[in-house]
Amino acid sequence: MAVLWSASVKTLARHDSRTPDVEIRMTTRHDFSENLMSLQSHILLEEAKHPRASGDFTWIVSAISLAAKSIANQVRRARLSGSIGQFGETNVQGEEQQKLDVIANEAIMRCLGTRASVAVLASEEDDEPTILRKGSEGGKYCVLFDPLDGSSNLDTGVGVGTIFSILRNDPNIPDAQTTVCQPGSKQVAAGYILYGSSTIFVLTTDSGVALFELDPYIGSFLLVKDNLRIPTANKVYSVNEAYASSFPQGYQNYLAWAHQNGYSSRYIGSMVADVHRILLTGGVFMYPPTKKNPEGKLRYLYEASPMAFIIERAGGLAYSGAIPTLEHLPQRVHERVPVLMGSRDEVTKVREFLR
Ligand code: AHG
Ligand code: MN
Ligand code: MN
């Protein structure tokens, strides 16, 4: 006998003459923890906690979620639509742009460009931040983003992501470079979207970290887990170990210690995917300085800072050199920093070797 709708239950009709094989059950007391919650509803609820909130922030996150759905769709069909491969130009950082880097960048620009409260957009793929409107014209926020993280992995179908950071625009600062150069602790919100075996949206605002999954059949990101916490320890490190001989000695000593102490290694080469795994299952993610990249490879404003914000809000730790990543004050939009983040005990252990 099929059950159409069940929970903790009261049978309404055991023998319905029109559908004799169907048992219809209904709750007397509904379990509201099992209700569906969309990303949009989640942000509206968050906003309702702030009586003076204008709704601008909700518009921005909803624009990012629209862009994310568009990018997810294009990443999933990349081979069929011929958008795998290099675009044929390098960005300001000297990196080969993939076609999908450019497509993702445009998707975000188009979705955010029309939002009235966005003052400045800064992207990994653009030399300079784009000023959309001044503070006096209603520009309240700056949105910084890595449109497609891990894009060199695209041609092998590996998980890639989008990272974003939302900062307040200081209306007294006329120049866009200066207004976006804020320490990570000033972020209003940050998040990432992982285009993996499913499409995951992780968002942090001032009330914790929430994880949503895209239901492709209804086109909505639905809440899977609220108030996400990173495990305090797990014997896993995520680093490009092939560069170990060019890491500072402390990292090399840590790795030698980890080899002797039952650690496992996981490295995808897409920061979003690597950090997402660490967030859910614990461990430590690192991109140390190397001879090739003495400042580290990852960019502060749209890679290190937002991911550190998420990890710290989930109860983990994040350091760039000797200081917490969120306390670093960047001087340039595309500035790079070393990255060490993850479970509290694991980050602390690495830092013992770096002193
Ligand atoms: P992006 O694709 O946005 O340029 O970022 C690539 C980054 C990051 O995702 C990853 O952690 C790192 O590059 C991998 O670098 P290596 O190949 O040097 O390990
Ligand atoms: Mn990146
Ligand atoms: Mn990128």
PDB file of all heavy atoms in Angstrom, residues 93 122-125 144-146 163-165 299-307 333-335:
ATOM      1  N   GLN A  93      46.893  39.162 -13.778  1.00  0.00           N
ATOM      2  CA  GLN A  93      47.851  38.436 -12.951  1.00  0.00           C
ATOM      3  C   GLN A  93      48.715  37.486 -13.766  1.00  0.00           C
ATOM      4  O   GLN A  93      49.423  36.636 -13.225  1.00  0.00           O
ATOM      5  CB  GLN A  93      47.089  37.680 -11.867  1.00  0.00           C
ATOM      6  CG  GLN A  93      46.195  38.642 -11.119  1.00  0.00           C
ATOM      7  CD  GLN A  93      45.269  37.963 -10.185  1.00  0.00           C
ATOM      8  OE1 GLN A  93      45.732  37.261  -9.302  1.00  0.00           O
ATOM      9  NE2 GLN A  93      43.983  38.136 -10.360  1.00  0.00           N
ATOM     10  N   ALA A 122      34.602  43.965  -7.768  1.00  0.00           N
ATOM     11  CA  ALA A 122      36.015  43.656  -8.035  1.00  0.00           C
ATOM     12  C   ALA A 122      36.135  42.163  -8.289  1.00  0.00           C
ATOM     13  O   ALA A 122      35.643  41.349  -7.504  1.00  0.00           O
ATOM     14  CB  ALA A 122      36.880  44.058  -6.842  1.00  0.00           C
ATOM     15  N   SER A 123      36.759  41.820  -9.411  1.00  0.00           N
ATOM     16  CA  SER A 123      36.845  40.422  -9.827  1.00  0.00           C
ATOM     17  C   SER A 123      38.293  40.021 -10.081  1.00  0.00           C
ATOM     18  O   SER A 123      39.095  40.843 -10.535  1.00  0.00           O
ATOM     19  CB  SER A 123      36.044  40.237 -11.119  1.00  0.00           C
ATOM     20  OG  SER A 123      36.401  39.027 -11.753  1.00  0.00           O
ATOM     21  N   GLU A 124      38.579  38.754  -9.841  1.00  0.00           N
ATOM     22  CA  GLU A 124      39.899  38.218 -10.192  1.00  0.00           C
ATOM     23  C   GLU A 124      40.221  38.490 -11.663  1.00  0.00           C
ATOM     24  O   GLU A 124      41.374  38.702 -12.022  1.00  0.00           O
ATOM     25  CB  GLU A 124      39.919  36.704  -9.944  1.00  0.00           C
ATOM     26  CG  GLU A 124      41.234  36.063 -10.338  1.00  0.00           C
ATOM     27  CD  GLU A 124      41.188  34.538 -10.429  1.00  0.00           C
ATOM     28  OE1 GLU A 124      40.270  33.925  -9.885  1.00  0.00           O
ATOM     29  OE2 GLU A 124      42.097  33.984 -11.058  1.00  0.00           O
ATOM     30  N   GLU A 125      39.206  38.461 -12.492  1.00  0.00           N
ATOM     31  CA  GLU A 125      39.445  38.531 -13.941  1.00  0.00           C
ATOM     32  C   GLU A 125      39.581  39.950 -14.484  1.00  0.00           C
ATOM     33  O   GLU A 125      39.863  40.136 -15.662  1.00  0.00           O
ATOM     34  CB  GLU A 125      38.333  37.789 -14.685  1.00  0.00           C
ATOM     35  CG  GLU A 125      38.175  36.322 -14.300  1.00  0.00           C
ATOM     36  CD  GLU A 125      39.466  35.511 -14.444  1.00  0.00           C
ATOM     37  OE1 GLU A 125      40.323  35.883 -15.272  1.00  0.00           O
ATOM     38  OE2 GLU A 125      39.618  34.520 -13.708  1.00  0.00           O
ATOM     39  N   LEU A 144      33.207  41.516  -4.006  1.00  0.00           N
ATOM     40  CA  LEU A 144      34.481  41.048  -4.570  1.00  0.00           C
ATOM     41  C   LEU A 144      34.345  39.555  -4.836  1.00  0.00           C
ATOM     42  O   LEU A 144      33.775  38.840  -3.998  1.00  0.00           O
ATOM     43  CB  LEU A 144      35.605  41.302  -3.561  1.00  0.00           C
ATOM     44  CG  LEU A 144      35.874  42.777  -3.234  1.00  0.00           C
ATOM     45  CD1 LEU A 144      34.870  43.327  -2.248  1.00  0.00           C
ATOM     46  CD2 LEU A 144      37.254  42.937  -2.676  1.00  0.00           C
ATOM     47  N   PHE A 145      34.877  39.113  -5.967  1.00  0.00           N
ATOM     48  CA  PHE A 145      34.645  37.691  -6.256  1.00  0.00           C
ATOM     49  C   PHE A 145      35.709  37.067  -7.149  1.00  0.00           C
ATOM     50  O   PHE A 145      36.379  37.742  -7.928  1.00  0.00           O
ATOM     51  CB  PHE A 145      33.249  37.488  -6.866  1.00  0.00           C
ATOM     52  CG  PHE A 145      32.968  38.331  -8.062  1.00  0.00           C
ATOM     53  CD1 PHE A 145      33.202  37.847  -9.332  1.00  0.00           C
ATOM     54  CD2 PHE A 145      32.474  39.619  -7.936  1.00  0.00           C
ATOM     55  CE1 PHE A 145      32.955  38.624 -10.454  1.00  0.00           C
ATOM     56  CE2 PHE A 145      32.215  40.403  -9.052  1.00  0.00           C
ATOM     57  CZ  PHE A 145      32.463  39.906 -10.312  1.00  0.00           C
ATOM     58  N   ASP A 146      35.843  35.767  -6.957  1.00  0.00           N
ATOM     59  CA  ASP A 146      36.594  34.903  -7.862  1.00  0.00           C
ATOM     60  C   ASP A 146      35.514  34.164  -8.639  1.00  0.00           C
ATOM     61  O   ASP A 146      34.851  33.276  -8.087  1.00  0.00           O
ATOM     62  CB  ASP A 146      37.461  33.940  -7.023  1.00  0.00           C
ATOM     63  CG  ASP A 146      38.216  32.939  -7.882  1.00  0.00           C
ATOM     64  OD1 ASP A 146      37.980  32.879  -9.093  1.00  0.00           O
ATOM     65  OD2 ASP A 146      39.041  32.198  -7.297  1.00  0.00           O
ATOM     66  N   ILE A 163      33.732  32.221  -5.437  1.00  0.00           N
ATOM     67  CA  ILE A 163      33.894  32.742  -4.075  1.00  0.00           C
ATOM     68  C   ILE A 163      33.478  34.210  -4.085  1.00  0.00           C
ATOM     69  O   ILE A 163      33.814  34.933  -5.032  1.00  0.00           O
ATOM     70  CB  ILE A 163      35.366  32.645  -3.601  1.00  0.00           C
ATOM     71  CG1 ILE A 163      35.938  31.249  -3.850  1.00  0.00           C
ATOM     72  CG2 ILE A 163      35.484  33.019  -2.128  1.00  0.00           C
ATOM     73  CD1 ILE A 163      37.448  31.131  -3.559  1.00  0.00           C
ATOM     74  N   PHE A 164      32.779  34.660  -3.038  1.00  0.00           N
ATOM     75  CA  PHE A 164      32.433  36.092  -2.984  1.00  0.00           C
ATOM     76  C   PHE A 164      32.571  36.645  -1.573  1.00  0.00           C
ATOM     77  O   PHE A 164      32.481  35.910  -0.586  1.00  0.00           O
ATOM     78  CB  PHE A 164      31.019  36.358  -3.528  1.00  0.00           C
ATOM     79  CG  PHE A 164      29.927  35.713  -2.713  1.00  0.00           C
ATOM     80  CD1 PHE A 164      29.326  36.396  -1.657  1.00  0.00           C
ATOM     81  CD2 PHE A 164      29.508  34.430  -2.983  1.00  0.00           C
ATOM     82  CE1 PHE A 164      28.317  35.806  -0.905  1.00  0.00           C
ATOM     83  CE2 PHE A 164      28.506  33.821  -2.235  1.00  0.00           C
ATOM     84  CZ  PHE A 164      27.909  34.515  -1.198  1.00  0.00           C
ATOM     85  N   SER A 165      32.795  37.943  -1.540  1.00  0.00           N
ATOM     86  CA  SER A 165      32.959  38.665  -0.278  1.00  0.00           C
ATOM     87  C   SER A 165      32.181  39.973  -0.407  1.00  0.00           C
ATOM     88  O   SER A 165      32.264  40.640  -1.439  1.00  0.00           O
ATOM     89  CB  SER A 165      34.458  38.931  -0.094  1.00  0.00           C
ATOM     90  OG  SER A 165      34.683  39.928   0.867  1.00  0.00           O
ATOM     91  N   ARG A 299      44.792  34.884  -3.641  1.00  0.00           N
ATOM     92  CA  ARG A 299      44.545  36.321  -3.521  1.00  0.00           C
ATOM     93  C   ARG A 299      43.756  36.609  -2.253  1.00  0.00           C
ATOM     94  O   ARG A 299      42.832  35.880  -1.890  1.00  0.00           O
ATOM     95  CB  ARG A 299      43.793  36.853  -4.751  1.00  0.00           C
ATOM     96  CG  ARG A 299      44.661  37.103  -5.983  1.00  0.00           C
ATOM     97  CD  ARG A 299      45.431  35.915  -6.496  1.00  0.00           C
ATOM     98  NE  ARG A 299      44.671  34.730  -6.789  1.00  0.00           N
ATOM     99  CZ  ARG A 299      44.290  34.339  -8.009  1.00  0.00           C
ATOM    100  NH1 ARG A 299      44.648  35.034  -9.058  1.00  0.00           N
ATOM    101  NH2 ARG A 299      43.611  33.222  -8.186  1.00  0.00           N
ATOM    102  N   TYR A 300      44.119  37.722  -1.608  1.00  0.00           N
ATOM    103  CA  TYR A 300      43.516  38.001  -0.300  1.00  0.00           C
ATOM    104  C   TYR A 300      42.026  38.281  -0.404  1.00  0.00           C
ATOM    105  O   TYR A 300      41.218  37.631   0.269  1.00  0.00           O
ATOM    106  CB  TYR A 300      44.221  39.196   0.385  1.00  0.00           C
ATOM    107  CG  TYR A 300      43.636  39.424   1.765  1.00  0.00           C
ATOM    108  CD1 TYR A 300      43.945  38.565   2.822  1.00  0.00           C
ATOM    109  CD2 TYR A 300      42.727  40.456   2.006  1.00  0.00           C
ATOM    110  CE1 TYR A 300      43.375  38.735   4.078  1.00  0.00           C
ATOM    111  CE2 TYR A 300      42.160  40.629   3.263  1.00  0.00           C
ATOM    112  CZ  TYR A 300      42.493  39.763   4.289  1.00  0.00           C
ATOM    113  OH  TYR A 300      41.913  39.927   5.533  1.00  0.00           O
ATOM    114  N   LEU A 301      41.651  39.264  -1.219  1.00  0.00           N
ATOM    115  CA  LEU A 301      40.304  39.830  -1.096  1.00  0.00           C
ATOM    116  C   LEU A 301      39.192  38.880  -1.543  1.00  0.00           C
ATOM    117  O   LEU A 301      38.094  38.929  -0.991  1.00  0.00           O
ATOM    118  CB  LEU A 301      40.211  41.145  -1.874  1.00  0.00           C
ATOM    119  CG  LEU A 301      40.861  42.328  -1.154  1.00  0.00           C
ATOM    120  CD1 LEU A 301      40.969  43.534  -2.080  1.00  0.00           C
ATOM    121  CD2 LEU A 301      40.076  42.709   0.104  1.00  0.00           C
ATOM    122  N   TYR A 302      39.466  38.051  -2.538  1.00  0.00           N
ATOM    123  CA  TYR A 302      38.369  37.210  -3.037  1.00  0.00           C
ATOM    124  C   TYR A 302      38.662  35.711  -2.928  1.00  0.00           C
ATOM    125  O   TYR A 302      37.900  34.905  -3.457  1.00  0.00           O
ATOM    126  CB  TYR A 302      37.973  37.607  -4.475  1.00  0.00           C
ATOM    127  CG  TYR A 302      39.162  37.844  -5.385  1.00  0.00           C
ATOM    128  CD1 TYR A 302      39.841  36.786  -5.963  1.00  0.00           C
ATOM    129  CD2 TYR A 302      39.619  39.132  -5.640  1.00  0.00           C
ATOM    130  CE1 TYR A 302      40.937  37.000  -6.783  1.00  0.00           C
ATOM    131  CE2 TYR A 302      40.714  39.366  -6.455  1.00  0.00           C
ATOM    132  CZ  TYR A 302      41.370  38.295  -7.021  1.00  0.00           C
ATOM    133  OH  TYR A 302      42.463  38.511  -7.825  1.00  0.00           O
ATOM    134  N   GLU A 303      39.769  35.335  -2.271  1.00  0.00           N
ATOM    135  CA  GLU A 303      39.996  33.905  -2.002  1.00  0.00           C
ATOM    136  C   GLU A 303      40.233  33.698  -0.498  1.00  0.00           C
ATOM    137  O   GLU A 303      39.410  33.097   0.199  1.00  0.00           O
ATOM    138  CB  GLU A 303      41.178  33.375  -2.826  1.00  0.00           C
ATOM    139  CG  GLU A 303      40.844  33.303  -4.317  1.00  0.00           C
ATOM    140  CD  GLU A 303      41.990  32.819  -5.210  1.00  0.00           C
ATOM    141  OE1 GLU A 303      43.151  33.204  -4.977  1.00  0.00           O
ATOM    142  OE2 GLU A 303      41.718  32.074  -6.157  1.00  0.00           O
ATOM    143  N   ALA A 304      41.370  34.228   0.000  1.00  0.00           N
ATOM    144  CA  ALA A 304      41.745  33.960   1.398  1.00  0.00           C
ATOM    145  C   ALA A 304      40.750  34.552   2.393  1.00  0.00           C
ATOM    146  O   ALA A 304      40.301  33.868   3.331  1.00  0.00           O
ATOM    147  CB  ALA A 304      43.143  34.518   1.658  1.00  0.00           C
ATOM    148  N   SER A 305      40.403  35.811   2.207  1.00  0.00           N
ATOM    149  CA  SER A 305      39.578  36.496   3.209  1.00  0.00           C
ATOM    150  C   SER A 305      38.165  35.899   3.332  1.00  0.00           C
ATOM    151  O   SER A 305      37.736  35.564   4.451  1.00  0.00           O
ATOM    152  CB  SER A 305      39.551  37.998   2.866  1.00  0.00           C
ATOM    153  OG  SER A 305      38.616  38.664   3.623  1.00  0.00           O
ATOM    154  N   PRO A 306      37.415  35.735   2.228  1.00  0.00           N
ATOM    155  CA  PRO A 306      36.081  35.140   2.413  1.00  0.00           C
ATOM    156  C   PRO A 306      36.115  33.708   2.930  1.00  0.00           C
ATOM    157  O   PRO A 306      35.285  33.329   3.768  1.00  0.00           O
ATOM    158  CB  PRO A 306      35.455  35.204   1.006  1.00  0.00           C
ATOM    159  CG  PRO A 306      36.548  35.564   0.061  1.00  0.00           C
ATOM    160  CD  PRO A 306      37.625  36.210   0.845  1.00  0.00           C
ATOM    161  N   MET A 307      37.082  32.900   2.455  1.00  0.00           N
ATOM    162  CA  MET A 307      37.126  31.511   2.944  1.00  0.00           C
ATOM    163  C   MET A 307      37.507  31.484   4.428  1.00  0.00           C
ATOM    164  O   MET A 307      36.989  30.668   5.195  1.00  0.00           O
ATOM    165  CB  MET A 307      38.109  30.677   2.113  1.00  0.00           C
ATOM    166  CG  MET A 307      37.738  30.536   0.644  1.00  0.00           C
ATOM    167  SD  MET A 307      36.060  29.961   0.352  1.00  0.00           S
ATOM    168  CE  MET A 307      36.292  28.221   0.146  1.00  0.00           C
ATOM    169  N   VAL A 333      44.245  45.276  -4.808  1.00  0.00           N
ATOM    170  CA  VAL A 333      43.092  44.404  -5.080  1.00  0.00           C
ATOM    171  C   VAL A 333      43.509  42.951  -5.287  1.00  0.00           C
ATOM    172  O   VAL A 333      42.853  42.031  -4.801  1.00  0.00           O
ATOM    173  CB  VAL A 333      42.334  44.894  -6.339  1.00  0.00           C
ATOM    174  CG1 VAL A 333      41.198  43.952  -6.688  1.00  0.00           C
ATOM    175  CG2 VAL A 333      41.803  46.276  -6.117  1.00  0.00           C
ATOM    176  N   HIS A 334      44.597  42.743  -6.026  1.00  0.00           N
ATOM    177  CA  HIS A 334      44.972  41.366  -6.366  1.00  0.00           C
ATOM    178  C   HIS A 334      46.121  40.850  -5.492  1.00  0.00           C
ATOM    179  O   HIS A 334      46.839  39.917  -5.896  1.00  0.00           O
ATOM    180  CB  HIS A 334      45.331  41.278  -7.850  1.00  0.00           C
ATOM    181  CG  HIS A 334      44.203  41.684  -8.763  1.00  0.00           C
ATOM    182  ND1 HIS A 334      43.030  40.975  -8.856  1.00  0.00           N
ATOM    183  CD2 HIS A 334      44.069  42.747  -9.600  1.00  0.00           C
ATOM    184  CE1 HIS A 334      42.213  41.582  -9.723  1.00  0.00           C
ATOM    185  NE2 HIS A 334      42.824  42.660 -10.184  1.00  0.00           N
ATOM    186  N   GLU A 335      46.272  41.461  -4.331  1.00  0.00           N
ATOM    187  CA  GLU A 335      47.360  41.053  -3.428  1.00  0.00           C
ATOM    188  C   GLU A 335      47.232  39.567  -3.025  1.00  0.00           C
ATOM    189  O   GLU A 335      46.140  39.068  -2.806  1.00  0.00           O
ATOM    190  CB  GLU A 335      47.276  41.921  -2.160  1.00  0.00           C
ATOM    191  CG  GLU A 335      48.377  41.676  -1.172  1.00  0.00           C
ATOM    192  CD  GLU A 335      48.355  42.731  -0.059  1.00  0.00           C
ATOM    193  OE1 GLU A 335      48.146  43.927  -0.345  1.00  0.00           O
ATOM    194  OE2 GLU A 335      48.532  42.332   1.101  1.00  0.00           O
TER     195      GLU A 335
END
